[in-house]
Amino acid sequence: MTTVQQPLLTNGKRLWQSLEELNKIGATAKGGVKRLTLTDLDRQARDLVIGWGKAEGLSIRIDKIGNIFMRRAGGDPSRAPIMAGSHIDTQPSGGRFDGNFGVLAALEVVRTLNQHQVQTAAPIEVAIWTNEEGSRFVPVMMGSGVFCGAFSLEHAYAAKDVDGKSVLEELTRIGYVGDETPGEHPIGAYFEAHIEQGPVLEDEGKIIGVVPAVLGLSWYDCTVTGLEAHAGSTPMPLRRDALQVATTIMQEVVAIANRYQPYGRGTVGFVQNSPNSRNVIPGEVKFSIDIRNVNKALLDTMQGELTAFIEKTAQHSGLAIKLEQVSHFPPCPFHEDCVAAVRRATEKLGYPHMDVVSGAGHDAVYAARVAPAGMIFVPCKDGISHNEIEDAKPEHLEAGCNVLLHAMLERAG
Ligand code: HGY
Ligand code: MN
Ligand code: MN
Ligand code: MN
């Protein structure tokens, strides 16, 4: 009787337990995680995951922007490593799975290979990228961006948070300024497992998303300057109300996105109104603008319409309006060999799957600039993410981890 060779599988329970352990660091009352980049909580989480890597016999390297690389030796050390990873920094009111799942899925791949004493030809590497979220410091996806040369280490070091603390100060304070030059080590191929952060897989009843591409993104800081004045004694026609002008721009961000569907996205997430007093006409408003689309031409058109609208608004209102681009990456198609490897692994394991374009940015976008890269999505409850109620099923995370294992094995030889 021929015994059918069962495919090697990861241990979803062990993965879930590690996620629970990691998510005690920065756990919030509502069941989410607040673990902002380069805080003491980020340091604690880094220390914990590095401890797990060392327990698996991995060698640890840290680069100058704090990216962490944990390597499992391969039979052929001349081969570039097959890498998998993500991030462990979160949004201020973040979820338990965004980023954390991808890092611990990569670690679970290593744990599974060690448990079954599988030797791969190429080394296997687990990557933890610094400041993927871009919430505390811009640009977004900072560690992977420096790694691939999208912007300089100096530019990243100089970034400051709302309290005026710099990346270099904070990275030094938590003890994670490594000595490796970012990007000096080549990558053979890169895979990232992530929750979809949208509703498509769940709506379609699929377990795996094969990701062909990621939307391009442009982030801006916009500052509207008017004149603080008395809310009662200042006649309406004489006002220079920064907030009223700012709100017209905020509405236009959404209107532009709605003009370029199905992948147009427009969001104003951060607003600072000053002096923010109920009986003072606002003198200055600072707010963020996040626009995205699936192809370069559409994203360029959206950017053009935004800047034209702001110029017209400045002329019409007579208020000063400053628009500064603080992050940008073009739409990123993933490498066909990696997309195919993810699809083959999914089919071999028999999971219902579909192609899903990623609306969210990921470190894989920058890894794709220096190596063939691919992503694996799993559903999240109601498609909600960047929210403390973010949730996912253990069996779906295990499925995503199994696909990650087999896609990596195909490339690691
Ligand atoms: O904004 C993004 O898409 C990512 O989650 N940082
Ligand atoms: Mn993420
Ligand atoms: Mn995120
Ligand atoms: Mn992301």
Side-chain angles (χ1 to χ4, degrees):
M1 195 229 340
T2 50
T3 48
V4 176
Q5 172 81 14
Q6 284 304 325
L8 186 62
L9 296 176
T10 61
N11 181 330
K13 220 159 140 268
R14 184 169 53 193
L15 168 63
W16 188 263
Q17 280 162 355
S18 295
L19 268 165
E20 298 280 275
E21 189 64 27
L22 173 60
N23 286 326
K24 286 178 188 161
I25 303 173
T28 65
K30 285 192 200 163
V33 184
K34 178 176 185 179
R35 190 188 308 136
L36 288 185
T37 193
L38 309 188
T39 58
D40 288 338
L41 292 172
D42 185 12
R43 178 183 48 74
Q44 283 173 43
R46 287 163 173 260
D47 294 350
L48 177 68
V49 180
I50 284 177
W52 285 337
K54 286 180 178 166
E56 293 299 326
L58 303 184
S59 60
I60 311 294
R61 302 186 336 266
I62 297 168
D63 73 13
K64 289 181 176 137
I65 191 64
N67 294 320
I68 299 164
F69 305 103
M70 308 199 291
R71 173 175 288 204
R72 181 178 191 263
D76 176 356
S78 70
R79 290 267 312 261
I82 305 306
M83 184 186 279
S86 193
H87 59 96
I88 55 175
D89 65 296
T90 74
Q91 288 287 332
S93 52
R96 293 175 291 153
F97 305 98
D98 176 1
N100 297 318
F101 164 52
V103 169
L104 296 182
L107 181 66
E108 176 53 33
V109 163
V110 165
R111 284 171 166 165
T112 302
L113 295 176
N114 283 348
Q115 182 185 346
H116 297 272
Q117 290 150 5
V118 173
Q119 164 94 53
T120 55
I124 297 289
E125 265 190 17
V126 175
I128 305 174
W129 301 104
T130 294
N131 183 28
E132 188 276 348
E133 291 292 3
S135 174
R136 183 182 177 197
F137 299 103
V138 286
V140 71
M141 294 135 57
M142 182 180 276
S144 51
V146 171
F147 182 88
C148 80
F151 35 81
S152 70
L153 180 64
E154 292 65 34
H155 177 73
Y157 275 170
K160 289 193 185 324
D161 68 6
V162 285
D163 302 321
K165 290 197 184 113
S166 74
V167 163
L168 181 55
E169 279 170 275
E170 288 293 274
L171 197 59
T172 307
R173 188 181 63 78
I174 67 167
Y176 271 93
V177 179
D179 46 24
E180 182 171 300
T181 300
E184 79 177 46
H185 284 268
I187 307 175
Y190 177 85
F191 293 94
E192 182 164 349
H194 208 287
I195 52 170
E196 178 201 337
Q197 299 181 292
V200 175
L201 289 175
E202 189 180 60
D203 287 355
E204 301 293 331
K206 305 291 185 197
I207 295 181
I208 297 293
V210 181
V211 186
V214 178
L215 299 192
L217 162 155
S218 279
W219 281 9
Y220 300 88
D221 284 344
C222 188
T223 307
V224 179
T225 308
L227 182 66
E228 293 178 22
H230 196 293
S233 52
T234 311
M236 296 309 282
L238 301 184
R239 293 173 176 223
R240 299 163 63 74
D241 186 333
L243 186 56
Q244 290 305 311
V245 170
T247 50
T248 63
I249 299 169
M250 295 175 189
Q251 298 288 322
E252 185 63 13
V253 167
V254 171
I256 292 170
N258 285 327
R259 286 200 285 272
Y260 295 99
Q261 286 305 305
Y263 287 108
R265 303 283 188 273
T267 312
V268 174
F270 171 87
V271 181
Q272 227 168 12
N273 176 45
S274 68
N276 221 23
S277 167
R278 66 181 68 248
N279 53 353
V280 177
I281 299 166
E284 183 179 82
V285 177
K286 283 184 194 282
F287 59 96
S288 64
I289 296 172
D290 174 330
I291 55 173
R292 310 191 190 203
N293 215 313
V294 71
N295 74 44
K296 189 170 171 345
L298 287 180
L299 186 58
D300 290 348
T301 302
M302 291 170 72
Q303 286 176 190
E305 291 190 13
L306 176 68
T307 45
F309 182 84
I310 287 177
E311 274 157 23
K312 199 178 76 194
T313 305
Q315 271 159 19
H316 182 70
S317 66
L319 269 61
I321 305 176
K322 192 174 121 213
L323 185 70
E324 186 197 354
Q325 189 173 61
V326 292
S327 274
H328 171 75
F329 55 79
C332 167
F334 284 130
H335 194 287
E336 61 194 14
D337 294 353
C338 287
V339 175
V342 169
R343 198 186 312 283
R344 274 191 292 272
T346 305
E347 283 159 357
K348 176 165 74 176
L349 293 159
Y351 297 124
H353 62 282
M354 62 184 287
D355 284 17
V356 180
V357 169
S358 176
H362 299 284
D363 295 305
V365 166
Y366 283 140
R369 294 198 183 177
V370 292
M375 286 194 79
I376 299 145
F377 274 174
V378 296
C380 56
K381 190 166 181 315
D382 302 329
I384 299 287
S385 180
H386 283 192
N387 184 319
E388 292 167 271
I389 63 167
E390 181 185 278
D391 201 3
K393 289 190 178 143
E395 58 273 24
H396 290 169
L397 301 184
E398 182 174 29
C401 197
N402 287 333
V403 172
L404 179 67
L405 168 68
H406 285 274
M408 293 178 78
L409 283 176
E410 180 182 308
R411 302 285 304 203

